[in-house]
Amino acid sequence: MTFWNRILNPVSLDIGMDLGTASTLIYVKGRGVVLDEPSVVAIDKKTGKPIKVGEEAKIMLGRTPDSIEAVRPLKEGVIADFRASKMMISYFLAKVQQRRGFIARTRMVIGVPSGITQVEEQIVRETAEKAGTGFQTEVRLVPEPLAAAVGAGLPVLEPTGNMIVDIGGGTTEVAVISIGRIVSCESLGIAGDNLNDSIIQYLRKQHSLMIGERTAEDVKMTIGSAWPDTDEGTMSIRGIHVNTGLPSAIDIASGEIREAMQEPLKAIMDCILRTLEKAPPELAADIMDRGIVLAGGGALLKGLDRLISTTAQVPVHVAENPMLCVVQGCGRVLEEIARPHESTWSTLLGFKHLP
């Protein structure tokens, strides 16, 4: 496309974004989910400029020289480093834009934790607006549990009770939803990263072995579980011995990793029970019938559905693509806004009707 064609034929870019502590996912209207990369930025300390972003930056975590810093710009689902977040979002938006012509307007729907403060909302909105690629950028925020419920295919606009548990990297979002609104919810700052941390602390305390975040994540996904199973395995873990400072390796069983994660798992379970107890009786009855749906990367932990269903005495289902639920929910909202006969989501999010 020539320069003048791009200027004379401007286009709109409609984006749904799951701006997560662990990963950022982007949905582009008409193209689906086009990006899924770690929320990590590697910055040159001397120049302050980003060297690597996303997957390439994650590889550098714990392996950088003093002149380079690999950082996670988000903490517990909200922006902790404004500058690094702007760099990261700008990079991701440029990556998904491709050669689409002159972007006259960028419209974004971004999933954020339900417990976010007004100040944190403003930071997310300003960061996204400044990182936008279009001449005009419009940003709307949608609570993550609502977006996850939409992405999981729950009938959230109907007058019936839907319960979603979205376990991400930094937060666990638990909500009861009906008629497009959150009836009761709780946002807990304990999620997948805390499960990793509990494994790191356990191995250090019980086996005098120091490991990093990436190793802890691998251990959790390979042999970690929330409920005992007949097919449990062992895994060889390499790290640094606390006393000698030399490389060391141990074999560890699934049961020990489950024991290591007990504290954060109990906190998540208690959060689910509190939210369920706050639900109105009629909606609680619907949930007893329809069950609880798990979304987010944490939903992939083996046996978690069994733990919740046994403790809460409610059926539990894992969403078809749990890690994509929030971003797909944001994308579905964008698609619905574009339909002339559909005004519900436009009203809920405050968007002007799309021509």
Side-chain angles (χ1 to χ4, degrees):
M1 182 179 286
T2 67
F3 172 79
W4 285 111
N5 281 336
R6 296 179 65 184
I7 296 298
L8 296 175
N9 297 283
V11 296
S12 294
L13 187 62
D14 293 323
I15 289 174
M17 184 182 297
D18 177 7
L19 193 59
T21 305
S23 300
T24 295
L25 295 90
I26 294 179
Y27 175 106
V28 175
K29 180 185 167 189
R31 293 166 57 196
V33 179
V34 297
L35 183 138
D36 179 0
E37 294 210 27
S39 299
V40 185
V41 183
I43 300 172
D44 187 321
K45 291 182 178 180
K46 294 181 179 179
T47 64
K49 295 181 179 180
I51 298 173
K52 299 291 183 182
V53 180
E55 191 65 50
E56 293 179 334
K58 183 180 179 180
I59 298 173
M60 301 172 73
L61 282 172
R63 297 187 172 114
T64 59
D66 292 338
S67 60
I68 299 174
E69 182 182 19
V71 299
R72 294 182 179 272
L74 290 100
K75 183 179 180 180
E76 295 185 2
V78 296
I79 290 174
D81 188 326
F82 183 90
R83 188 162 170 269
S85 296
K86 181 176 176 294
M87 292 176 185
M88 182 181 75
I89 297 172
S90 296
Y91 175 84
F92 289 154
L93 289 179
K95 191 171 183 178
V96 303
Q97 177 183 338
Q98 297 181 343
R99 295 178 63 85
R100 295 175 60 87
F102 174 68
I103 307 296
R105 179 178 60 187
T106 301
R107 180 184 281 104
M108 297 188 204
V109 173
I110 302 177
V112 294
S114 58
I116 193 172
T117 66
Q118 288 186 344
V119 173
E120 290 168 338
E121 280 188 4
Q122 190 63 28
I123 291 173
V124 173
R125 188 176 286 106
E126 288 181 0
T127 302
E129 287 174 349
K130 291 179 179 179
T133 58
F135 180 75
Q136 178 184 359
T137 301
E138 185 180 4
V139 178
R140 288 293 180 270
L141 308 181
V142 58
E144 283 180 357
L146 181 57
V150 174
L154 297 180
V156 297
L157 295 178
E158 296 179 9
T160 185
N162 301 278
M163 188 166 183
I164 188 84
V165 177
D166 177 28
I167 306 173
T171 60
T172 294
E173 302 287 324
V174 186
V176 174
I177 301 167
S178 181
I179 321 180
R181 302 283 185 177
I182 293 177
V183 179
S184 63
C185 70
E186 187 166 337
S187 181
L188 181 70
I190 296 176
D193 288 347
N194 300 90
L195 295 175
N196 297 342
D197 290 342
S198 67
I199 293 172
I200 292 172
Q201 296 304 320
Y202 179 89
L203 292 177
R204 183 185 179 96
K205 183 178 180 180
Q206 299 297 328
H207 296 279
S208 299
L209 187 73
M210 292 190 297
I211 63 171
E213 292 179 28
R214 296 190 66 189
T215 301
E217 176 78 14
D218 289 341
V219 171
K220 180 182 68 177
M221 298 308 298
T222 303
I223 61 170
S225 66
W227 190 263
D229 188 59
T230 55
D231 185 23
E232 296 197 341
T234 60
M235 181 178 179
S236 178
I237 305 174
R238 296 176 176 83
I240 299 295
H241 197 281
V242 173
N243 297 327
T244 65
L246 298 175
S248 180
I250 62 169
D251 290 332
I252 197 161
S254 297
E256 282 196 81
I257 300 303
R258 186 166 55 252
E259 179 185 343
M261 298 187 295
Q262 283 305 301
E263 188 174 335
L265 285 175
K266 183 179 184 305
I268 292 171
M269 194 65 244
D270 289 344
C271 178
I272 294 170
L273 294 175
R274 286 194 301 269
T275 306
L276 190 57
E277 289 169 358
K278 290 186 291 185
E282 294 296 333
L283 297 184
D286 291 337
I287 294 167
M288 289 292 294
D289 181 48
R290 303 171 61 87
I292 298 170
V293 174
L294 300 184
L300 298 174
L301 179 65
K302 290 189 288 286
L304 183 59
D305 54 343
R306 182 79 181 276
L307 171 66
I308 296 173
S309 63
T310 302
T311 307
Q313 294 297 298
V314 176
V316 177
H317 315 284
V318 178
E320 185 176 351
N321 294 301
M323 295 186 70
L324 301 181
C325 283
V326 172
V327 71
Q328 287 182 332
C330 292
R332 281 191 59 188
V333 169
L334 278 168
E335 300 285 359
E336 292 297 323
I337 289 171
R339 298 178 183 176
H341 67 277
E342 186 65 55
S343 61
T344 304
W345 288 112
S346 298
T347 303
L348 288 174
L349 298 180
F351 269 128
K352 296 177 181 179
H353 172 62
L354 259 170

